[in-house]
């Protein structure tokens, strides 16, 4: 069995990681984790037409830096919890939903993600609705732990 | 990433650009004339006269329709490069707008514009810095919103964010708030302006002062009066817009300095470096065009050259505005919330209403040109 965990740095992220690890251990499955570096800030700020190149490039580089920092922190937290479970840690840039969907179609049996899934600009969108609508494999949605 | 080469890059622009041009063609040649003749509520041309649904607003609405309905929320890959040219079209249009003025005309209204803009830009920024503290907002959120509400909306937020270490979530919420508020004012303002019988001068001064995004100032002025000529709403509104745009680096400096003053690991910020990186160069093109107009190099008022130029300007703006509409995702705007929304609404409404009161009290109906 192959599991894909879509990593998030939002409030429900930790419980999704725990659930994915629990299922992988129970099933003796491989657990791959995917962190998508959101590369859609350019389109999100497309309404900004008057910034000069320097200003805009400076902004996009700043956002890229924050995304990479989030990727490193999330990966470190995941690796600490995963222990000796077999699997890979994947990082890919792009549109979060598109990249997760594309990876999930690569022979995985189950996609695990937090609900709501707020990676990058998905905080402004509805990644869960889009991913579950035409998911290429089974999907497990994990709610945040009750406060 | 695949390198397409120059020819490939140009080719990639074609499909999206063709959609933008084709859309404007249909709107200007078929839809707008039909709307002018259409009888609604027993009144001929009601859609255009009352709702201001001319080709400018229709361009934005059609762009929004493409993005939100036809494309299902995302500009498809085949159209992406073409729609990216939006910025180029609007900047070109603004540079061409410089031909509507001569320096002596600019001097006549420049003083009023500078006074109003500087007062409103820095007044709003200071108000938001105070409001953010009152509402207990994070300092980086307050700083981003102060820039966005004070000067040029999304562009100011983009220019300020790195300097004040804005967090992605806060920034996304701030941008959605600013965009949402701007779109609302863009559709409401022409209606209010006509209801209050504002002149082109008063309307241009009001929206140039009160609307948050500078792109929306242009669109709103053109929705009020779609003509490109000296003395029209867009001619006045653009003077306000240009003064605002020039203010961006100064506002970014002011707000960044405020932000770092309250941080333990303070960083040095210099006005020189901010001016070098944030000054919108295309403003120089606008001034250059005004210089050509002042020297009568592009023809006297009423000449064939100017007539042609204004026709081209209408097409250039129209194409750009189809693209601008396609960058408006209604679902993203609906997700606006939290403290950025509260700050944005309070500051935005205050600025919008206060600008109207000042315009009605101090700006005469008769324009300077």
């Amino acid at each position: 069995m192959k599991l894909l965990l879509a990593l998030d740095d939002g409030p429900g992220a930790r419980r999704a990681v725990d659930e994915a690890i629990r299922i992988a251990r129970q099933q003796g499955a491989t657990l791959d984790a995917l962190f998508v570096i959101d590369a859609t800030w350019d389109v999100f700020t497309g309404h900004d037409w008057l910034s000069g190149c320097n200003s805009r490039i400076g902004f996009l580089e700043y956002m890229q830096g924050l995304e990479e920092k989030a990727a490193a922190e999330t990966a470190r937290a995941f690796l600490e919890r995963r222990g000796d479970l077999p699997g890979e840690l994947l990082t890919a840039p792009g549109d979060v939903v598109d990249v997760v969907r594309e990876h999930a179609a690569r022979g995985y049996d189950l996609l695990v993600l937090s609900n709501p899934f707020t990676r990058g600009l998905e905080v402004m969108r509805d990644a869960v609705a889009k991913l579950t609508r035409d998911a290429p494999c089974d999907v497990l949605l994990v709610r945040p732990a009750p406060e | 990433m695949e390198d397409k080469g120059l020819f490939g890059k140009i080719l990639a622009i074609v499909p999206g650009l063709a959609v933008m041009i084709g859309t404007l063609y249909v709107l200007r040649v078929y839809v707008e004339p039909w709307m002018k003749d259409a009888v609604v509520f027993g009144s001929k041309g009601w859609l255009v006269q009352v709702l201001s649904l001319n080709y400018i607003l229709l361009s934005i609405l059609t762009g929004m329709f493409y993005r939100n309905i036809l494309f299902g929320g995302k500009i498809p890959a085949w159209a992406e490069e073409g729609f990216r040219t939006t910025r180029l079209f609007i900047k070109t249009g603004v540079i061409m707008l410089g031909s509507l003025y001569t320096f002596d005309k600019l001097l006549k209204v420049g003083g009023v514009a500078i006074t109003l803009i500087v007062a409103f830009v820095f007044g709003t920024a200071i108000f938001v810095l105070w409001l953010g503290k009152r509402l207990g907002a994070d300092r980086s959120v307050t700083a981003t919103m102060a820039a966005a509400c004070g000067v040029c909306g999304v562009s100011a937020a983009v220019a300020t964010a790195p300097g004040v270490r804005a967090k992605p979530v806060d920034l996304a919420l701030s941008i959605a708030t600013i965009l949402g508020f701007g779109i609302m004012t863009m559709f409401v303002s022409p209606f209010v302006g006509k209801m209050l019988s504002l002149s082109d001068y008063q309307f241009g001064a009001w929206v140039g002062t009160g609307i948050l995004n500078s792109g929306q100032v242009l669109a709103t002025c053109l929705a009020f009066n779609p003509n490109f000529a000296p003395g029209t709403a867009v001619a006045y509104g653009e003077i306000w817009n240009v003064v605002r745009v020039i203010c961006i680096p100064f506002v970014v400096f002011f707000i960044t300095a405020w932000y770092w003053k309250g941080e333990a690991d303070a960083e040095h910020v210099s006005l020189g470096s901010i001016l070098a990186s944030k000054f919108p160069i295309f403003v120089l093109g606008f001034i250059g065009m005004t210089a050509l107009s002042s020297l009568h190099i592009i023809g006297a008022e009423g000449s064939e050259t100017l007539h042609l130029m204004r026709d081209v300007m209408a097409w250039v703006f129209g194409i750009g505005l189809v693209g601008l509409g396609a960058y408006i995702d209604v679902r993203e705007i609906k997700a606006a919330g939290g403290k950025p929304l509260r700050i944005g609404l309070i500051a935005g409404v205050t600025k919008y209403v206060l600008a109207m009161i000042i315009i009605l009290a101090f700006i005469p109906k008769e324009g300077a040109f």
Side-chain angles (χ1 to χ4, degrees), chain B residues 245-284:
Chain B
V245 169
I246 293 171
C247 281
I248 289 181
F250 299 97
V251 173
V252 172
F253 173 71
F254 169 70
I255 289 169
T256 310
W258 169 86
Y259 176 81
W260 286 106
K261 208 175 161 196
E263 296 295 303
D265 52 342
E267 266 186 16
H268 176 70
V269 285
S270 86
L271 180 59
S273 65
I274 288 178
L275 269 174
S277 62
K278 315 282 183 194
F279 188 83
I281 305 288
F282 74 94
V283 169
L284 300 178

Side-chain angles (χ1 to χ4, degrees), chain B residues 132-310:
Chain B
K133 198 174 175 185
R134 285 273 306 190
L135 295 176
D138 187 89
R139 283 173 63 80
S140 66
V141 174
T142 304
T144 310
M145 287 304 289
C149 294
V151 60
C152 280
V154 180
S155 303
V158 163
T160 311
V164 300
R165 299 193 294 198
K167 297 178 193 78
V169 174
D170 297 334
L171 190 59
L173 291 174
S174 301
I175 288 173
T177 299
I178 295 300
L179 211 48
F181 185 80
I183 291 163
M184 193 185 68
T185 50
M186 188 169 71
F187 287 102
V188 168
S189 303
F191 181 73
V192 175
K194 283 179 183 170
M195 206 172 64
L196 295 174
S197 305
L198 295 184
S199 67
D200 280 63
Y201 181 37
Q202 289 174 316
F203 188 81
W206 172 45
V207 298
T209 311
I211 287 187
L212 303 181
N213 276 302
S214 45
Q216 287 158 358
V217 171
L218 282 170
T220 310
C221 286
L222 289 168
F224 183 76
N225 179 354
N227 294 319
F228 290 91
T232 55
V234 72
Y236 289 116
E238 189 50 27
I239 297 175
W240 263 252
N241 235 353
V242 166
V243 177
R244 253 160 66 142
V245 169
I246 293 171
C247 281
I248 289 181
F250 299 97
V251 173
V252 172
F253 173 71
F254 169 70
I255 289 169
T256 310
W258 169 86
Y259 176 81
W260 286 106
K261 208 175 161 196
E263 296 295 303
D265 52 342
E267 266 186 16
H268 176 70
V269 285
S270 86
L271 180 59
S273 65
I274 288 178
L275 269 174
S277 62
K278 315 282 183 194
F279 188 83
I281 305 288
F282 74 94
V283 169
L284 300 178
F286 173 90
I287 295 168
M289 193 58 92
T290 304
L292 292 179
S293 171
S294 303
L295 296 168
H296 303 294
I297 292 174
I298 45 177
E301 195 53 43
S303 69
E304 270 301 303
T305 316
L306 279 186
H307 181 74
L308 179 69
M309 191 176 233
R310 284 167 196 171

Side-chain angles (χ1 to χ4, degrees), chain B:
Chain B
M1 192 181 279
E2 184 194 354
D3 186 11
K4 293 173 182 167
L6 183 63
F7 183 69
K9 280 177 187 166
I10 293 170
L11 212 59
I13 291 172
V14 173
L17 185 56
V19 170
M20 288 158 71
I21 295 172
T23 300
L24 184 66
Y25 181 81
V26 171
L27 291 177
R28 287 201 76 182
V29 176
Y30 299 105
V31 180
E32 195 185 49
W34 172 79
M35 288 179 108
K36 278 180 179 162
D37 290 335
V39 177
V40 179
F41 299 127
S43 167
K44 190 180 170 189
W46 185 88
L47 291 167
V48 177
Q49 284 156 18
V50 179
L51 295 185
S52 300
L53 280 179
N54 56 29
Y55 76 97
I56 290 293
L57 282 188
L58 287 172
S59 299
I60 298 174
L61 284 171
T62 311
M64 288 172 72
F65 169 78
Y66 287 158
R67 167 72 176 265
N68 295 279
I69 313 259
L70 200 64
F71 297 157
K74 191 180 165 192
I75 299 172
W78 60 263
E80 213 172 295
E81 292 304 318
F83 276 89
R84 247 185 248 276
T85 58
T86 295
R87 295 156 54 76
L88 178 69
F89 276 98
I90 298 189
K91 280 184 180 175
T92 307
V94 170
I95 290 171
M96 291 172 83
L97 270 180
S99 67
L100 296 184
Y101 318 96
T102 53
F103 285 125
D104 58 322
K105 285 177 185 172
L106 278 185
L107 284 175
K108 281 182 192 163
V109 278
V112 184
I114 291 169
T115 310
L116 266 179
I117 286 295
V118 170
F120 267 84
V121 162
F122 286 95
T124 309
I126 292 166
F127 174 67
V128 171
L129 295 181
W130 171 82
L131 185 64
K133 198 174 175 185
R134 285 273 306 190
L135 295 176
D138 187 89
R139 283 173 63 80
S140 66
V141 174
T142 304
T144 310
M145 287 304 289
C149 294
V151 60
C152 280
V154 180
S155 303
V158 163
T160 311
V164 300
R165 299 193 294 198
K167 297 178 193 78
V169 174
D170 297 334
L171 190 59
L173 291 174
S174 301
I175 288 173
T177 299
I178 295 300
L179 211 48
F181 185 80
I183 291 163
M184 193 185 68
T185 50
M186 188 169 71
F187 287 102
V188 168
S189 303
F191 181 73
V192 175
K194 283 179 183 170
M195 206 172 64
L196 295 174
S197 305
L198 295 184
S199 67
D200 280 63
Y201 181 37
Q202 289 174 316
F203 188 81
W206 172 45
V207 298
T209 311
I211 287 187
L212 303 181
N213 276 302
S214 45
Q216 287 158 358
V217 171
L218 282 170
T220 310
C221 286
L222 289 168
F224 183 76
N225 179 354
N227 294 319
F228 290 91
T232 55
V234 72
Y236 289 116
E238 189 50 27
I239 297 175
W240 263 252
N241 235 353
V242 166
V243 177
R244 253 160 66 142
V245 169
I246 293 171
C247 281
I248 289 181
F250 299 97
V251 173
V252 172
F253 173 71
F254 169 70
I255 289 169
T256 310
W258 169 86
Y259 176 81
W260 286 106
K261 208 175 161 196
E263 296 295 303
D265 52 342
E267 266 186 16
H268 176 70
V269 285
S270 86
L271 180 59
S273 65
I274 288 178
L275 269 174
S277 62
K278 315 282 183 194
F279 188 83
I281 305 288
F282 74 94
V283 169
L284 300 178
F286 173 90
I287 295 168
M289 193 58 92
T290 304
L292 292 179
S293 171
S294 303
L295 296 168
H296 303 294
I297 292 174
I298 45 177
E301 195 53 43
S303 69
E304 270 301 303
T305 316
L306 279 186
H307 181 74
L308 179 69
M309 191 176 233
R310 284 167 196 171
D311 204 29
V312 172
M313 227 188 285
W315 280 90
V316 165
F317 270 119
I319 293 166
L321 291 173
V322 174
L324 213 59
Y327 280 110
I328 298 171
D329 188 329
V330 175
R331 278 160 292 198
E332 288 172 357
I333 292 171
K334 274 165 67 183
K339 284 176 181 157
L341 180 65
R342 286 168 70 190
I343 294 172
L345 280 182
I346 294 171
V349 170
T350 307
K351 186 178 180 180
Y352 190 68
V353 174
L354 196 61
M356 167 62 88
I357 293 169
I358 293 202
I359 297 304
L360 288 174
F362 298 107
I363 301 288
K365 275 197 181 296
E366 283 297 307
F369 58 90

